[in-house]
Amino acid sequence: AEMTAVFDIYDLNHDGEVSRHEYIEHQVAIDSTVHGVANALFDIYDFNGDHHLRAEDYVAFFNSMDADGNGSVEELEFVNSWVTMLCNIGEQGHRHNSWCHASCPAA
């Protein structure tokens, strides 16, 4: 239910899928400095690589964070997943802020 609610926020035209444009438009409206990071996150969320986000992509993303496979994403799993994702994005040249640089493990 939570994932559906999050999906609905981004599905601006309510067609059951989120285009890159819809996703980026929503993210940039919140913070205009995150365009590059938002593009990288869209690619991460797009599990099947079809350039549209659907509810099943969000479910697959959730499942990828559930490291122990118990059907629930605990706080540590959530934090570890996001640190890894943001550090990977930072390595791709999309450093959004100094937090990522300071928090990423040394290569």
Side-chain angles (χ1 to χ4, degrees):
E2 281 183 63
M3 293 307 292
T4 303
V6 171
F7 179 83
D8 289 343
I9 291 170
Y10 294 103
D11 186 11
L12 301 177
N13 64 2
H14 307 291
D15 65 353
E17 61 184 34
V18 177
S19 68
R20 182 179 298 271
H21 176 78
E22 286 175 307
Y23 181 78
I24 302 300
E25 186 175 304
H26 181 74
Q27 292 299 328
V28 171
I30 295 168
D31 182 346
S32 64
T33 67
V34 300
H35 192 271
V37 172
N39 267 296
L41 286 172
F42 183 93
D43 291 336
I44 291 168
Y45 298 151
D46 185 15
F47 262 74
N48 65 5
D50 69 352
H51 306 290
H52 289 88
L53 302 179
R54 294 180 181 81
E56 56 265 21
D57 289 306
Y58 278 71
V59 170
F61 176 71
F62 172 85
N63 289 338
S64 75
M65 290 192 296
D66 183 15
D68 62 12
N70 71 353
S72 178
V73 176
E74 283 81 25
E75 182 179 357
L76 185 59
E77 291 172 318
F78 180 87
V79 170
N80 286 342
S81 293
W82 276 96
V83 167
T84 299
M85 281 186 292
L86 292 174
C87 289
N88 288 339
I89 290 169
E91 289 171 5
Q92 296 169 13
H94 299 290
R95 294 227 186 264
H96 177 57
N97 58 36
S98 60
W99 173 89
C100 184
H101 181 70
S103 300
C104 295

